[in-house]
């Protein structure tokens, strides 16, 4: 069984045993870099907004980014170089532990490399590999001040030069571009002036391929004289650039993608890179938890330790199990990412939840811990203040929550109902369309208050294979050949119910399973109306309910792998049952909900099972973290 200390990354006693020797070495030198400098240095660098040249010197000297971010195909025979999502996620967690700014320079380099490693441009790929080996950083030039990260719209325009010159001249601006000050290659998204692009009001699947001809991804050099760096748009240690290209020459060798390939490269790069948001949040929460619980355990007020007050016991227990949950989910999500294939794209849902739910769990944890230590959270000698700002920002980067909720909803029908279940093939639950009235009427007669009939329906398809644990030291080739970003409605999912039933011996897991089945009933008997399918606010509330189900599924899958204690899972699911009930109550109170939806929403509201003995054990686990780690001065 796992212990409380096993559930947190501790730099003083890290366990990297499932990684290869070179990976362990590079993790170790990174930890030594920060620990040898200490908290005073970390805070001073953050407070004075010092560009992290010292860290990048380490990256260059130890070839860290080169080793971790060069695919095997570009490694020139170096056996340690590969793109390995498991070790990249762990490195994100380590950097998040010490400061989101260090995570950010790594994260944005990953994004900048995405279009390059997906490109068929061999010269650009070789150039990127050489620059990584030289210790350079990269940037992802997608966002614009007027359009955000809207891949349908861009004002970066490439004008073809005459035949004698060849290539293009680029003009336009980009905004909110991390590493845009020093990136050796900036992967810039734009459009040709002489070719069509689709209108952002249109839906991609309704447009022919030729309507994407104008899209282009090209590589720019941040040090070129026609690359005009305007400013850092944030007041922080990282550099988040606004820049303009003014008559910037783009040669044919600079073109990474053209046409629909450029459009898909933008989306697929986000799938690869922003998966790391959740791991950065985990690292920040772990450091904040060590700091907060150490302070609270050692502070005496009114004759007792702060951790002995009833409200503090509740908050620390909740923060602790939420952190356990986000770590379990994230570790299992890695397996789905690494096992992805053209005929298994389940990772797209789990990836979206990683970016959205896990980052918001991090925000909840830091808020709970801040309430635990009160004003201490804002004092100048605390790492905690860095976590407060960093974790709060993650769910809000480029509309992370809103964008990924919209993406998650595209999978709801196939996930909740297994699209080929007998009798459900005619259903069109959000967002495809409303179920035929006769189907709803027939099914709802037998589904009042329960989804047992749905659960009993036989499957009409071959069983989807179970995804194994993926700690193998291999290159994740598929991530750079994901192909078209369309076809989401054809993605199939394994049944989510078996793992919940297996753990239904745990009282709050059983209650959560009943809630999830009641959600199935609601979706069948009171499916969204055509008007509601266009109401983003309504869909968001429904999505909050839906995404808790796959979140719970992967938590339990990983809990089985790690043999997590039942009492920890019971308390974690007490929190999830409460969250589920809260979202159901909000749906019931939504003014645009139908009478049937309001009624069915109340079926989802359940009281979690209380257990004082179990609660006391969780509190004891949380308190045992105190003193386990403290960064030296």
């Amino acid at each position: 069984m796992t212990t409380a200390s096993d559930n947190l990354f501790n730099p003083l006693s890290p366990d990297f045993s499932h990684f290869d020797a070179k990976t362990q070495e590079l993790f170790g030198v990174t930890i030594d870099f920060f620990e040898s400098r200490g908290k005073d240095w970390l805070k001073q660098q953050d407070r004075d907004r010092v560009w992290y040249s010292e860290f990048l010197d380490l990256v260059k000297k130890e070839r860290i980014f080169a080793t971790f971010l060069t695919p095997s195909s570009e490694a020139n025979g170096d056996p340690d170089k590969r793109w390995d999502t498991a070790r990249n996620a762990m490195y994100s967690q380590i950097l998040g532990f010490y400061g989101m700014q260090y995570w950010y320079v790594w994260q944005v380099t990953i994004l900048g490399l995405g279009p390059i490693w997906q490109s068929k441009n061999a010269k650009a790929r070789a150039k990127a590999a050489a620059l990584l080996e030289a210790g350079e950083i990269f940037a992802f030039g997608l966002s614009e001040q007027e359009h955000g990260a809207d891949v349908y719209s861009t004002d970066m325009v490439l004008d073809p030069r005459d035949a004698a010159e060849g290539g293009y001249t680029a003009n336009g601006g980009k905004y909110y571009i991390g590493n845009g000050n020093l990136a050796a290659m900036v992967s810039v998204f734009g459009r040709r002036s002489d070719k069509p692009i689709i209108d952002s009001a249109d839906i991609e699947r309704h447009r022919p391929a030729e309507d994407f001809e104008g899209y282009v991804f090209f590589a720019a050099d941040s040090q070129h004289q026609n690359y005009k760096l305007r400013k850092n748009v944030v007041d922080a240690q990282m550099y988040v650039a606004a820049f303009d290209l003014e008559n910037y020459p783009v040669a044919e060798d600079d073109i990474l993608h053209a046409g629909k390939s450029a459009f898909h490269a933008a989306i697929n790069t986000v799938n690869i890179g922003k998966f790391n948001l959740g791991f950065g949040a985990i690292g920040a929460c772990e450091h904040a938890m060590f700091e907060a619980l150490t302070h609270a355990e050692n502070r005496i007020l009114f004759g007792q330790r702060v951790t002995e007050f009833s409200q503090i016991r509740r908050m620390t227990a909740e923060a602790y199990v939420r952190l356990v949950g986000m770590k379990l989910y994230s570790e299992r999500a890695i397996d789905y990412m690494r096992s992805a294939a053209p005929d298994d794209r389940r990772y797209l849902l789990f990836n979206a939840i990683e970016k959205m739910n896990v980052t918001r769990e991090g925000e909840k944890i830091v808020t709970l811990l801040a309430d635990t230590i009160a004003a201490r959270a804002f004092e100048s000698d605390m790492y905690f203040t860095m976590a407060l700002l960093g974790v709060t920002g993650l769910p809000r980067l480029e509309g992370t929550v809103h964008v990924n909720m919209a993406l998650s909803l595209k999978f709801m029908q196939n996930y909740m109902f297994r699209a080929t279940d007998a009798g459900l093939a005619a259903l069109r639950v959000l967002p495809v369309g409303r179920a035929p009235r006769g189907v709803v009427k027939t099914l709802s007669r037998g589904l009042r208050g329960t989804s047992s009939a749905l659960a009993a329906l036989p499957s009409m398809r071959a069983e989807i294979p179970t995804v194994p644990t993926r700690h193998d030291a291999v290159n994740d080739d598929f991530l750079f050949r994901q192909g078209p970003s369309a076809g989401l409605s054809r993605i199939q999912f394994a049944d989510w119910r078996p793992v919940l039933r297996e753990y239904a011996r745990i009282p709050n897991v059983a209650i959560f399973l009943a809630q999830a089945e009641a959600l199935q009933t609601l979706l069948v008997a009171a499916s969204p109306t055509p008007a509601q399918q266009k109401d983003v606010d309504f869909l968001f509330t429904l999505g909050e309910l839906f995404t808790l189900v796959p979140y719970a599924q992967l938590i339990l899958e990983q809990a089985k792998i790690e043999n997590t204690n039942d009492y920890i899972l019971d308390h974690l699911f007490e929190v999830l049952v409460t969250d589920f009930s809260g979202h159901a109550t909000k749906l019931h109170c939504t003014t645009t909900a139908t009478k049937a939806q309001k009624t069915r929403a109340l079926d989802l509201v359940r009281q979690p099972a209380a257990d004082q003995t179990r609660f006391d054990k969780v509190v004891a686990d949380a308190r045992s973290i105190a003193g386990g780690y403290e960064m030296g001065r």
Side-chain angles (χ1 to χ4, degrees):
M1 293 290 183
T2 58
T3 65
S5 59
D6 293 330
N7 288 323
L8 269 70
F9 161 67
N10 187 335
L12 302 182
S13 55
D15 180 9
F16 300 134
S17 58
H18 52 283
F19 292 105
D20 63 276
K22 184 62 176 181
T23 299
Q24 292 185 50
E25 176 192 335
L26 295 182
F27 288 170
V29 298
T30 301
I31 291 169
D32 290 344
F33 169 84
F34 289 107
E35 292 295 331
S36 65
R37 283 159 176 77
K39 189 190 292 185
D40 289 345
W41 175 88
L42 192 73
K43 292 289 294 182
Q44 176 269 324
Q45 297 279 297
D46 177 59
R47 181 175 56 253
D48 295 342
R49 302 189 297 278
V50 178
W51 175 251
Y52 19 69
S53 56
E54 286 188 58
F55 173 65
L56 293 178
D57 287 344
L58 173 79
V59 167
K60 180 177 181 178
K61 176 185 175 184
E62 301 292 342
R63 304 168 54 249
I64 297 174
F65 288 8
T67 302
F68 289 169
L69 301 182
T70 305
S72 297
S73 60
E74 307 299 325
N76 292 323
D78 187 330
D80 296 317
K81 287 183 176 180
R82 65 181 184 277
W83 194 286
D84 177 338
T85 300
R87 71 176 181 181
N88 287 355
M90 187 66 238
Y91 199 64
S92 294
Q93 187 177 335
I94 293 169
L95 294 181
F97 188 93
Y98 289 108
M100 209 55 68
Q101 56 271 52
Y102 301 100
W103 168 87
Y104 188 74
V105 68
W106 150 265
Q107 160 70 9
V108 178
T109 291
I110 288 173
L111 289 169
L113 288 166
I116 299 171
W117 297 146
Q118 293 177 70
S119 175
K120 295 180 180 178
N121 184 333
K123 289 184 179 179
R125 291 168 61 93
K127 179 181 178 181
L131 289 169
L132 274 173
E133 183 64 30
E136 299 291 344
I137 57 176
F138 293 71
F140 184 55
L142 176 64
S143 299
E144 298 176 13
Q145 189 165 15
E146 297 300 320
H147 304 294
D150 179 3
V151 294
Y152 293 93
S153 303
T154 175
D155 292 328
M156 177 65 69
V157 179
L158 280 72
D159 294 307
R161 296 198 290 248
D162 61 44
E165 290 183 297
Y168 309 86
T169 300
N171 285 280
K174 292 293 179 178
Y175 193 82
Y176 226 88
I177 309 302
N179 296 354
N181 57 328
L182 289 176
M185 292 176 76
V186 184
S187 297
V188 182
F189 186 74
R191 61 181 173 88
R192 291 178 54 167
S193 60
D194 61 331
K195 297 286 184 178
I197 63 169
I198 65 175
D199 188 277
S200 61
D202 290 329
I203 299 174
E204 178 193 344
R205 65 176 180 271
H206 293 159
R207 300 303 299 260
E210 54 266 26
D211 284 359
F212 292 81
E213 285 184 3
Y215 290 117
V216 178
F217 245 124
F218 63 97
D221 179 0
S222 69
Q223 305 307 300
H224 192 282
Q225 62 181 358
N226 295 76
Y227 180 106
K228 306 297 183 180
L229 186 64
R230 300 306 182 192
K231 64 176 181 178
N232 187 352
V233 303
V234 300
D235 187 15
Q237 192 175 350
M238 67 273 284
Y239 201 104
V240 186
F243 71 82
D244 295 321
L245 298 186
E246 296 181 354
N247 295 319
Y248 186 98
V250 179
E252 289 293 344
D253 285 347
D254 297 324
I255 301 297
L256 303 173
H257 299 271
K260 204 164 188 177
S261 170
F263 183 89
H264 292 314
I267 295 173
N268 292 338
T269 294
V270 172
N271 293 339
I272 298 166
K274 293 203 172 183
F275 182 65
N276 290 307
L277 267 66
F279 297 92
I282 288 170
C285 287
E286 288 173 319
H287 197 157
M289 185 166 286
F290 275 121
E291 205 173 49
L293 292 180
T294 298
H295 170 75
E297 183 68 20
N298 290 286
R299 185 164 174 77
I300 309 296
L301 292 176
F302 307 107
Q304 61 180 342
R305 296 182 185 276
V306 168
T307 48
E308 293 171 347
F309 286 96
S310 59
Q311 78 276 22
I312 302 301
R313 285 164 54 84
R314 175 186 58 78
M315 289 189 290
T316 55
E318 180 180 339
Y320 174 61
V321 295
R322 282 192 187 276
L323 181 53
V324 170
M326 65 195 286
K327 293 192 68 171
L328 289 170
Y329 176 88
S330 300
E331 191 65 26
R332 188 59 175 147
I334 290 171
D335 299 336
Y336 283 92
M337 282 283 286
R338 302 197 72 194
S339 299
D343 59 351
D344 184 359
R345 295 197 292 159
R346 287 175 285 175
Y347 75 99
L348 291 174
L349 170 60
F350 303 140
N351 182 309
I353 292 173
E354 178 70 32
K355 292 180 281 186
M356 174 181 61
N357 288 35
V358 174
T359 57
R360 286 190 298 167
E361 285 295 288
E363 187 175 13
K364 292 172 187 175
I365 289 165
V366 171
T367 300
L368 286 164
L369 294 173
D371 289 341
T372 298
I373 61 175
R376 180 67 174 140
F378 303 95
E379 294 184 20
S380 62
D381 62 339
M382 294 284 281
Y383 164 84
F384 202 97
T385 55
M386 296 166 63
L388 272 173
L389 180 60
V391 172
T392 300
L394 289 176
R396 294 167 178 83
L397 292 175
E398 306 290 11
T400 293
V401 170
H402 304 280
V403 170
N404 286 288
M405 182 63 80
L407 176 59
S408 297
L409 284 165
K410 294 179 182 292
F411 302 106
M412 187 167 70
Q413 176 181 336
N414 284 8
Y415 180 89
M416 290 299 296
F417 297 102
R418 305 181 73 198
T420 54
D421 278 349
L424 290 175
L427 276 177
R428 291 294 181 268
V429 182
L430 176 92
V432 180
R434 193 179 183 185
R437 182 174 300 177
V439 175
V440 171
K441 184 176 180 181
T442 300
L443 285 175
S444 63
R445 285 195 190 117
L447 297 175
R448 299 186 188 279
T450 180
S451 291
S452 57
L454 284 171
L457 290 171
S459 174
M460 296 173 62
R461 66 167 178 218
E463 193 65 30
I464 295 176
T466 300
V467 169
T469 299
R470 294 295 308 276
H471 289 150
D472 44 326
V474 298
N475 196 76
D476 295 337
D477 294 328
F478 175 73
L479 294 183
F480 299 105
R481 50 178 177 81
Q482 296 176 58
S485 53
L488 304 185
S489 63
R490 296 189 294 274
I491 296 175
Q492 294 186 336
F493 294 86
D495 195 344
W496 51 269
R497 293 166 289 202
V499 71
L500 283 164
R501 289 173 180 157
E502 180 180 351
Y503 276 86
R505 66 178 185 273
I506 299 174
N508 282 303
V509 175
I511 295 170
F512 185 91
L513 174 58
Q515 288 177 306
E517 290 178 335
L519 175 61
Q520 282 188 314
T521 302
L522 183 152
L523 292 173
V524 172
S527 55
T529 66
Q532 288 171 338
Q533 293 180 33
K534 299 176 182 179
D535 182 347
V536 175
D537 193 43
F538 176 85
L539 300 184
F540 202 95
T541 303
L542 200 60
E544 295 280 21
L545 291 163
F546 160 58
T547 53
L548 277 175
V549 182
Y551 188 66
Q553 176 198 338
L554 265 63
I555 284 173
L556 291 178
E557 287 184 6
Q558 188 63 25
K560 186 175 181 180
I561 294 168
E562 297 186 13
N563 199 22
T564 305
N565 288 305
D566 280 7
Y567 72 87
I568 293 291
L569 294 174
D570 197 17
H571 197 71
L572 170 57
F573 273 81
E574 177 182 316
V575 171
L576 297 183
V577 166
T578 303
D579 287 349
F580 206 103
S581 295
H583 296 313
T585 301
K586 183 177 180 180
L587 179 61
H588 172 75
C589 296
T590 299
T591 57
T592 55
T594 66
K595 183 178 180 180
Q597 288 164 349
K598 290 176 181 287
T599 300
R600 294 287 179 179
L602 293 180
D603 293 339
L604 278 60
V605 178
R606 304 292 171 92
Q607 181 176 337
D611 184 325
Q612 188 62 46
T613 301
R614 176 252 297 164
F615 175 70
D616 290 342
K617 291 173 71 175
V618 174
V619 171
D621 277 2
R623 291 179 65 179
S624 73
I625 293 167
Y629 167 81
E630 185 170 2
M631 192 173 186
R633 306 308 308 181

